[in-house]
Amino acid sequence: MTQTLDAAKAAAAGRSASGAAFDRVLDVVERRRAEFDEKRHVPRDVIEEFKNAGIYRASTPKQFGGDALPPAEFLRLIERIAVVDGSAGWVASFGSSLIYLAALPSQTQAELYADGPDLVFAGGLFPVRPAERVPGGHRVSGRWKFASGCLGADVLGVGIKGGEAKGGRPLTAVLRPEQVEIVENWNVIGMRGTGSHDLVVDGAVVPDEWTFVRGGEPTVDEPLYRYPSVPYAAQVLAVVGLGVARAALDHVIAQGGRASYTGAPVPAERATYRIAVGQAEAQLRSARAYFYETTEEVWATVTAGDPASARQTSSLRLASAHLAKISFEVVRAAYQLGGIAAIADGNPMERYLRDASVVPQHAFLQEGMYDGAGAVLMGVQPFPGYL
């Protein structure tokens, strides 16, 4: 096993998420984004491009040949992909999800990464289902929703009830694709290319060592796995909205000189257009600055060897929900500035509006997060599950 891991590390040398391979990802996504919408998923050969660029080793522990990137570094990569296409950014964002797998036993992780650190994990964790206890594990059956990127995954997770032994906390059961049926039912308006289909499992036995508590105590002693994992899961999605908003705002800025259908002055000559663009630019950059400032602050804490405080964890959640909200508002303002042309199929504005509308709908990013953050700021107990 050690020899296999060493070989994988050697083969992986120098393939971090930067440089020519990442530039190629951006080019491929730009050329094929319409295909993602049509197929309702990002095809496997594109996932391979993501792997080649290091996206799916970004949260693999260094001890298994991964990069374990600082969160801000990974978030900026996802932001850049999302500028080109929101669905591709969303699927790539799950390059962060291996932080959850760090709660698996070390031997299980060694088996997972035996063929290399570039591992795609996708999960349909809700609704949490009961599972039959069997010797050494669980017999798992049920149907789970919203498994983004599942058609390109190397391993899949589903949510099961943990029982008293885990303090009532739900578990994620890790399965191989051949143990899972994917029901292709992702019929939606926005983020069509994410392939967030249902997962069905029929009586698969999952050993205890292949289950973990999401956000549970990691068995890997590296800084990334001390960073708050559930807030990080919200961050990687919120930053997709940021990328989409940046693209939408850049589009209406570039369109400032376009001729009007009615013969009216070009948009850049109208005060209302200029004011709206200026306000949107300030709003988006402000939310982005708060988002990354909070990320860097918490990262500095955990790399110094200290745990993130409750207030810091809450700040990550607040900054993410706020970024998702502001990003959607910016896209909506940009869409209105786009005028009648924005409603046409094929106009980029209609895609930006559809995709941006999905981000603040996610459970991690809804406006209830403001309630939790306000509670922490004022020293009262937030709603269950917030921290």
Side-chain angles (χ1 to χ4, degrees):
M1 179 65 71
T2 301
Q3 288 181 340
T4 303
L5 286 174
D6 287 345
K9 291 178 184 179
R15 291 173 56 201
S16 60
S18 60
F22 187 75
D23 290 341
R24 176 171 168 78
V25 163
L26 299 179
D27 178 64
V28 169
V29 168
E30 184 173 15
R31 286 189 285 107
R32 297 181 61 180
R33 58 193 174 198
E35 178 188 346
F36 307 159
D37 257 29
E38 180 183 355
K39 291 184 174 179
R40 304 290 173 132
H41 70 275
V42 176
R44 274 193 176 270
D45 66 307
V46 180
I47 297 298
E48 287 300 316
E49 297 285 357
F50 288 178
K51 285 185 177 182
N52 290 338
I55 296 297
Y56 288 112
R57 68 175 54 206
S59 62
T60 302
K62 291 183 178 181
Q63 72 182 76
F64 297 115
D67 291 339
L69 290 181
E73 187 174 338
F74 181 73
L75 291 165
R76 289 187 174 97
L77 293 172
I78 301 307
E79 180 185 354
R80 289 180 63 193
I81 296 172
V83 169
V84 183
D85 181 64
S87 289
W90 192 273
V91 172
S93 79
F94 292 99
S96 68
S97 63
L98 302 184
I99 58 171
Y100 294 139
L101 301 188
L104 287 167
S106 296
Q107 185 59 36
T108 303
Q109 293 183 64
E111 186 174 341
L112 270 174
Y113 300 119
D115 294 327
D118 301 291
L119 191 76
V120 183
F121 174 63
L125 304 182
F126 298 101
V128 175
R129 301 292 188 186
E132 178 189 355
R133 189 75 176 132
V134 297
H138 295 84
R139 188 181 305 278
V140 177
S141 296
R143 183 166 179 156
W144 292 262
K145 301 191 72 63
F146 306 125
S148 297
C150 58
L151 287 170
D154 300 312
V155 288
L156 296 157
V158 297
I160 61 173
K161 293 184 177 179
E164 293 182 6
K166 297 295 182 180
R169 292 183 295 174
L171 297 173
T172 298
V174 179
L175 303 110
R176 296 293 182 178
E178 59 268 22
Q179 297 176 287
V180 181
E181 176 191 357
I182 296 174
V183 180
E184 296 189 38
N185 61 345
W186 187 238
N187 302 311
V188 294
I189 294 173
M191 295 291 181
R192 287 176 175 166
T194 63
S196 303
H197 302 298
D198 286 6
L199 303 181
V200 174
V201 180
D202 185 12
V205 174
V206 180
D208 287 331
E209 61 268 24
W210 287 86
T211 67
F212 63 91
V213 174
R214 188 168 69 158
E217 190 69 25
T219 58
V220 177
D221 185 20
E222 296 178 20
L224 181 60
Y225 313 99
R226 296 193 291 270
Y227 191 86
S229 58
V230 174
Y232 191 28
Q235 287 190 285
V236 300
L237 301 179
V239 82
V240 174
L242 170 61
V244 174
R246 183 69 265 165
L249 190 52
D250 286 348
H251 180 75
V252 296
I253 290 171
Q255 290 289 300
R258 65 176 165 80
S260 168
Y261 289 122
T262 64
V266 299
E269 294 176 0
R270 305 175 204 164
T272 52
Y273 195 96
R274 296 194 300 267
I275 290 169
V277 166
Q279 289 177 333
E281 184 74 20
Q283 290 168 343
L284 190 63
R285 283 179 175 262
S286 296
R288 183 182 188 274
Y290 172 45
F291 178 80
Y292 281 114
E293 174 189 296
T294 303
T295 304
E296 297 284 13
E297 177 191 327
V298 178
W299 181 243
T301 296
V302 300
T303 54
D306 299 318
S309 67
R311 182 166 287 207
Q312 286 179 320
T313 300
S314 178
S315 290
L316 291 174
R317 303 205 71 168
L318 174 60
S320 298
H322 188 63
L323 184 64
K325 177 177 184 290
I326 294 300
S327 295
F328 179 43
E329 290 177 356
V330 166
V331 173
R332 189 166 53 191
Y335 178 82
Q336 290 175 320
L337 290 173
I340 195 65
I343 71 171
D345 283 342
N347 185 290
M349 285 309 311
E350 62 89 17
R351 177 167 53 87
Y352 298 146
L353 183 66
R354 289 189 288 105
D355 287 350
S357 70
V358 174
V359 181
Q361 297 293 99
H362 194 279
F364 284 172
L365 299 170
Q366 293 178 6
E367 289 205 348
M369 298 303 114
Y370 287 98
D371 173 43
V376 172
L377 287 168
M378 292 181 284
V380 300
Q381 188 67 31
F383 60 82
Y386 179 73
L387 292 176

